[in-house]
Amino acid sequence: MVQTPPRVLTVAGSDSGGGAGIQADLKTMLAHGVHGMSVIAAVTAQNSLGVQGYWELPAEAVRAQFRSVVDDIGVQAIKTGMLASPNLVAVVAALLAEVSVPVVIDPVASSKHGDTLLANEALETLRTRLLPVATVVTPNLYEVELLTGHKVRERADMRGAAEAVLAFGSRWALVKGGHLEGEAADLLFDGTHEYWFTSPRHDNRHTHGTGCTLASAIASRLALGDTVPDAVAAAKEYVTGAIRAGFPLGEGIGPVDHAWRWRQGF
């Protein structure tokens, strides 16, 4: 008898180059055996060289997409990415407050090329409205500094950064230390329990979409029934393999390979 797989919803921006955003989220969800669904909050003109422009969707379009999916199909986990403006952040936060499933918040502030994807005036709304509904929030070090003012210069600073993020109300903070020297170390913290996840660095510049991919993998594993630490461990293993297998695309930074496990058997 055919069984319906767990359903995971991404609320994020579209990446026309296919390496990050909604496209990366859905590829990651497929790779984890869950059914991916989407609410498109913004559309970007984007390629391997950067973001040439982005346009938010109206709040009513975002709200209608969310209600359409959740009310009929149902959902076992939700992941958010690029939300761009204070209005969209507030709209999505209100929608998430009405559901009782794990929520993974990727507080996307810029692209891999440094292009701004979150208006400065949206930061306070993100802190006060979106983070309090998060099961897990997954900031990189740049996003930690934007949100909290806490600058991480070395691994020893990451515990304080996680505490600063948790102060906004999420249940877990996953502080990603990929921009520090040495092995890639991420810290997962809930205010009491501390988990470190490390992986070797791979000499590969094609890393577009890593943050989206990691957050979507965590959401997928949570939908499959993992605990938060187990979900992060599995997601870290997946994204490390995807980074190792990242490939050139266009003239700039290529994407991680969401299908690396499949391609190994080809």
Side-chain angles (χ1 to χ4, degrees):
M1 183 175 179
V2 175
Q3 292 187 337
T4 302
R7 287 137 286 160
V8 182
L9 177 64
T10 170
V11 184
S14 169
D15 173 3
S16 55
I22 291 283
Q23 288 80 354
D25 297 339
L26 295 176
K27 292 172 187 177
T28 300
M29 292 169 190
L30 178 61
H32 284 83
V34 301
H35 176 69
M37 308 171 294
S38 63
V39 171
I40 298 175
V43 175
T44 69
Q46 186 171 172
N47 56 26
S48 70
L49 298 173
V51 178
Q52 290 76 49
Y54 72 80
W55 300 266
E56 315 170 16
L57 267 69
E60 56 268 28
V62 172
R63 192 179 294 109
Q65 290 176 82
F66 187 96
R67 291 263 63 95
S68 178
V69 170
V70 173
D71 294 348
D72 173 53
I73 299 172
V75 64
Q76 276 70 58
I78 299 173
K79 174 261 179 184
T80 72
M82 174 189 175
L83 298 178
S85 72
N87 187 37
L88 287 185
V89 172
V91 166
V92 172
L95 291 167
L96 295 177
E98 299 175 6
V99 299
S100 56
V101 300
V103 173
V104 180
I105 302 294
D106 181 14
V108 176
S110 67
S111 74
K112 184 66 66 179
H113 305 83
D115 305 291
T116 299
L117 298 176
L118 180 71
N120 285 333
E121 57 270 23
L123 286 171
E124 186 60 21
T125 310
L126 196 152
R127 295 183 191 106
T128 59
R129 299 287 301 278
L130 194 60
L131 296 191
V133 302
T135 305
V136 189
V137 58
T138 64
N140 61 31
L141 300 185
Y142 170 68
E143 291 157 353
V144 164
E145 187 173 359
L146 276 181
L147 289 169
T148 71
H150 191 104
K151 187 171 182 62
V152 176
R153 295 179 175 83
E154 57 186 7
R155 183 166 161 171
D157 299 328
M158 291 174 67
R159 168 71 177 259
E163 290 173 341
V165 172
L166 288 176
F168 294 116
S170 63
R171 288 172 50 197
W172 294 84
L174 178 65
V175 177
K176 300 178 293 189
H179 293 116
L180 296 178
E181 295 293 326
E183 63 182 357
D186 302 336
L187 171 61
L188 177 67
F189 189 55
D190 69 349
T192 303
H193 303 97
E194 185 176 304
Y195 301 85
W196 285 93
F197 303 90
T198 60
S199 62
R201 291 192 180 276
H202 297 290
D203 185 19
N204 186 355
R205 74 189 189 97
H206 302 300
T207 56
H208 184 51
T210 51
C212 305
T213 299
L214 180 66
S216 294
I218 295 170
S220 297
R221 295 302 315 182
L222 291 174
L224 289 164
D226 282 1
T227 64
V228 171
D230 286 348
V232 173
K236 176 80 170 178
E237 179 187 8
Y238 171 74
V239 79
T240 300
I243 291 170
R244 183 177 60 245
F247 52 85
L249 199 69
E251 300 298 320
I253 299 173
V256 301
D257 187 358
H258 299 94
W260 67 271
R261 285 176 173 152
W262 299 341
R263 287 193 222 282
Q264 284 183 349
F266 289 175

